[in-house]
């Protein structure tokens, strides 16, 4: 396999937690993600739905989990449905999981074929009046997927049943990470650091951003990543001032700063790292000053990560540092910094807020909820000076511990001196 799967007991414990929240008159259907068509009869690589994967460890398409915690037949309390494999499928697509393999991976004892799902559900809806679905409660948001299609169908077929979204419940369950999940995130971060090193080794004037992306993602693949956790942002000069630039099509200028906001995905867990490096190998005085302002804000922010803090309060503290730095950089006056509109002046240069990290890059968890031991969040301040063609973002991934935090990405060079030394090292 490309990755070390999480142990079945982890997924079993997750299902147990969900089962405890499902009342007697209810059951839950958890669909995985769609196979998405790319063009013609070719598809995008399949990635399982994060909630489904969290509960099962199964990363095959066309799979459904049904949890009925109060079913009188114990063997039917958790049932996994998979698409039946055949010689034809094996010939064209390769082997799919056998029922035994699926049981080993997930810990689910009853694995049936998908052809049996509809009759199984027909029996359940006669006995249970509430159905939890792995679909957003607002079906208007986003493209249709198996869960939302199921929601539409069940609403039409069962007008008197309550059809409820389990997405928020799953979101709460996923915010505190188990040690095994943190290990996957560490692996994703390690791969990301290796990918960045390869990209930095190829960094030189006139190289296209996409050629750097090729170096990065080749290393991700070589290291067994399950993919890039999001479209890599590799942005030289002015492009670095566009927060979600991901065209990666321009050539790097000799004096550009190059912003990398990238992340590998390992076993479906994401890293999300930003580093900003000088194409020449040396920061200009101005670039270094802007960089140090961001670095100072981030250091102040990182120091505040501990149980009980909130992302929003940490962001506010970083904003306070950045407002002072804007004065030092000559971007606003000290009167503006001290005035009631200081935040407004900052908003021209700063626009980001950190987030939880896990199976999703922007993982479940709110910026206003208190941090707890075992949560993993990013810390990602930046300054974007469009008029000067300078964009700097620093982003690290942080595990909250009992006593404070651990910066999981600390081995990836981050001070301006370390960044220069890293680039120089790759050029030898
Ligand atoms: N790379 C997306 C983000 O930093 O949130
Ligand atoms: Mn981020
Ligand atoms: Mn990022």
């Amino acid at each position: 396999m490309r990755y070390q799967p999480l142990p079945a007991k982890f997924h079993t414990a997750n299902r147990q937690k969900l089962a405890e929240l499902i009342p007697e008159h209810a059951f839950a259907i958890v669909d995985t993600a769609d196979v998405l068509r790319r063009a013609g009869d070719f598809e995008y690589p399949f990635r399982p739905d994060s909630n489904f994967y969290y509960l099962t460890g199964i990363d095959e398409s066309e799979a459904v989990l049904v949890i009925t915690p109060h079913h009188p037949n114990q063997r039917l309390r958790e049932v996994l449905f998979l698409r039946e494999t055949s010689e034809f499928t094996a010939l064209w697509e390769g082997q799919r999981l056998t029922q035994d393999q699926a049981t080993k991976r997930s810990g689910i004892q009853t694995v049936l074929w998908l052809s049996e799902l509809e009759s199984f559900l027909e029996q359940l809806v006669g006995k249970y009046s509430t159905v939890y679905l792995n679909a957003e409660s607002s079906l208007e948001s986003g493209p249709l997927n198996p869960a939302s299609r199921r929601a539409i169908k069940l609403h039409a077929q069962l007008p008197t049943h309550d059809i409820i979204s389990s997405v928020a419940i799953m979101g709460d369950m996923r915010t505190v990470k188990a040690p095994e999940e943190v290990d996957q995130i560490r692996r994703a971060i390690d791969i990301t650091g290796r990918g960045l090193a390869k990209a930095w080794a190829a960094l030189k004037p006139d190289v296209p951003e996409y050629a750097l992306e090729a170096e990065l993602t080749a290393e991700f693949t070589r290291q067994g990543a399950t993919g890039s956790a999001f479209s890599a942002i590799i942005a030289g000069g002015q492009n670095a001032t566009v927060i979600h630039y991901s065209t990666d099509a321009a050539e790097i200028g000799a004096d550009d700063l190059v912003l990398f906001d990238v992340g590998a995905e390992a076993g479906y867990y994401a890293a999300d790292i930003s580093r900003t490096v000088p194409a020449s190998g040396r920061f200009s005085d101005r670039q270094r000053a802007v960089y140090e302002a961001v670095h100072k804000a981030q250091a102040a922010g990182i120091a505040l990560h501990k149980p009980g803090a909130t992302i929003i309060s940490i962001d506010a503290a970083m904003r306070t540092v950045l407002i002072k730095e804007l004065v030092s950089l000559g971007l606003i006056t000290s009167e503006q910094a001290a005035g009631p509109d200081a935040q407004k002046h900052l908003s021209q240069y700063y626009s980001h807020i950190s987030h939880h990290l896990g199976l999703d890059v922007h993982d479940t968890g709110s910026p206003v909820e208190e941090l707890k031991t075992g949560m993993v969040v990013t810390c990602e301040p930046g300054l974007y000076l469009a008029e000067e063609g300078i964009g700097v973002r620093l982003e690290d991934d942080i595990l909250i511990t009992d006593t404070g935090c651990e910066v999981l990405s600390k081995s990836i060079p981050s001070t301006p001196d370390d960044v220069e030394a890293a680039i120089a090292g790759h050029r030898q």
Side-chain angles (χ1 to χ4, degrees):
M1 274 184 82
R2 256 176 199 258
Y3 65 94
Q4 184 66 36
L6 295 173
K9 67 177 184 338
F10 165 75
H11 302 292
T12 299
N14 295 340
R15 289 193 303 278
Q16 187 60 39
K17 277 186 224 150
L18 177 59
E20 281 164 13
L21 298 169
I22 297 177
E24 231 167 288
H25 55 276
F27 69 100
I29 308 172
V30 187
D31 288 278
T32 193
D34 249 339
V35 175
L36 295 174
R37 203 176 71 157
R38 184 175 185 275
D41 55 354
F42 282 87
E43 295 152 354
Y44 283 104
F46 176 73
R47 187 206 185 263
D49 173 82
S50 295
N51 290 335
F52 179 85
Y53 184 76
Y54 186 77
L55 294 171
T56 63
I58 300 294
D59 60 0
E60 261 186 14
S61 61
E62 297 174 79
V64 182
L65 169 67
V66 181
I67 300 186
T68 315
H70 305 282
H71 199 294
N73 181 346
Q74 176 129 17
R75 286 195 67 81
L76 298 182
R77 289 183 184 165
E78 302 181 329
V79 185
L80 178 66
F81 293 86
L82 299 179
R83 195 180 106 205
E84 187 167 7
T85 191
S86 66
E87 279 179 27
F88 181 82
T89 303
L91 181 66
W92 281 86
E93 300 173 31
Q95 293 296 346
R96 291 176 69 93
L97 290 173
T98 65
Q99 288 157 313
D100 279 351
Q101 286 168 335
T103 292
K104 282 202 187 78
R105 185 82 63 80
S106 64
I108 298 169
Q109 298 305 314
T110 307
V111 181
L112 304 177
W113 299 127
L114 213 45
S115 51
E116 298 170 81
L117 174 65
E118 286 312 315
S119 62
F120 185 76
L121 292 180
E122 263 167 39
Q123 291 184 18
L124 288 187
V125 296
K127 298 194 184 97
Y128 299 87
S129 59
T130 297
V131 190
Y132 286 84
L133 289 184
N134 184 29
E136 296 291 342
S137 44
S138 161
L139 292 180
E140 283 89 50
S141 64
L144 288 180
N145 56 38
S148 53
R149 284 197 295 272
R150 189 182 300 286
I152 292 165
K153 189 168 135 196
L154 289 188
H155 273 297
Q157 284 176 344
L158 306 169
T160 59
H161 278 61
D162 285 324
I163 316 284
I164 298 178
S165 171
S166 57
V167 168
I169 299 174
M170 292 296 309
D172 284 346
M173 285 170 52
R174 282 172 42 194
T175 52
V176 171
K177 271 61 185 176
E180 302 94 313
E181 296 181 280
V182 177
D183 287 345
Q184 296 292 57
I185 295 172
R186 284 183 202 277
R187 177 90 186 114
I189 292 168
D190 176 64
I191 294 173
T192 306
R194 290 167 189 267
L196 278 170
K198 294 284 183 197
W200 293 352
L203 179 59
K204 56 178 196 283
D206 298 335
V207 70
E209 293 157 346
Y210 57 78
L212 301 176
E213 185 178 350
E215 299 293 331
L216 179 94
T217 51
E219 189 62 14
F220 287 3
T221 306
R222 197 168 10 251
Q223 296 294 335
T226 41
S228 265
F230 54 94
S231 298
I233 297 171
I234 299 180
Q238 186 77 27
N239 293 337
T241 67
V242 179
I243 313 284
H244 283 158
Y245 175 83
S246 60
T247 329
D248 299 359
E251 288 177 359
I252 302 291
D255 299 319
D256 279 355
L257 279 188
V258 187
L259 192 159
F260 293 80
D261 183 349
V262 299
E265 187 188 79
Y268 304 109
Y269 283 80
D272 186 8
I273 309 284
S274 299
R275 289 293 185 267
T276 309
V277 304
S280 69
R282 286 253 171 238
F283 291 98
S284 70
D285 289 348
R286 181 64 173 171
Q287 289 169 344
R288 183 176 269 261
V290 177
Y291 190 101
E292 280 182 339
V294 177
H295 195 260
K296 218 182 267 182
Q298 199 206 29
I302 288 174
L304 296 174
H305 283 73
K306 60 176 185 215
T310 61
I311 287 176
I312 201 102
S313 66
I314 294 167
D315 189 68
M318 293 198 293
R319 283 170 187 268
T320 304
V321 176
L322 285 172
I323 287 169
K324 274 200 206 127
E325 293 299 317
L326 290 186
V327 179
S328 307
L329 292 168
L331 293 163
I332 64 173
T333 65
S334 44
E335 288 75 29
Q336 286 173 320
D341 283 341
Q343 292 290 342
K344 197 179 84 199
H345 296 296
L346 179 63
S347 66
Q348 185 185 342
Y349 303 105
Y350 176 75
S351 62
H352 236 54
I353 189 144
S354 309
H355 52 86
H356 287 252
L357 184 70
L359 281 166
D360 292 337
V361 184
H362 292 175
D363 208 43
T364 61
S366 145
V368 297
E369 81 183 291
E370 290 192 355
L371 296 176
K372 293 193 190 119
T373 300
M375 288 180 170
V376 179
V377 295
T378 66
C379 181
E380 50 178 301
L383 280 179
Y384 308 96
L385 280 48
E387 324 71 46
E388 301 181 46
I390 295 178
V392 175
R393 176 154 72 250
L394 283 175
E395 178 172 21
D396 282 278
D397 301 341
I398 297 173
L399 170 68
I400 307 301
T401 62
D402 287 340
T403 52
C405 70
E406 179 189 345
V407 181
L408 299 174
S409 44
K410 61 180 176 294
S411 65
I412 303 176
S414 175
T415 67
D417 288 347
D418 286 351
V419 166
E420 286 185 347
I423 301 279
H426 291 307
R427 287 188 177 164
Q428 277 164 10

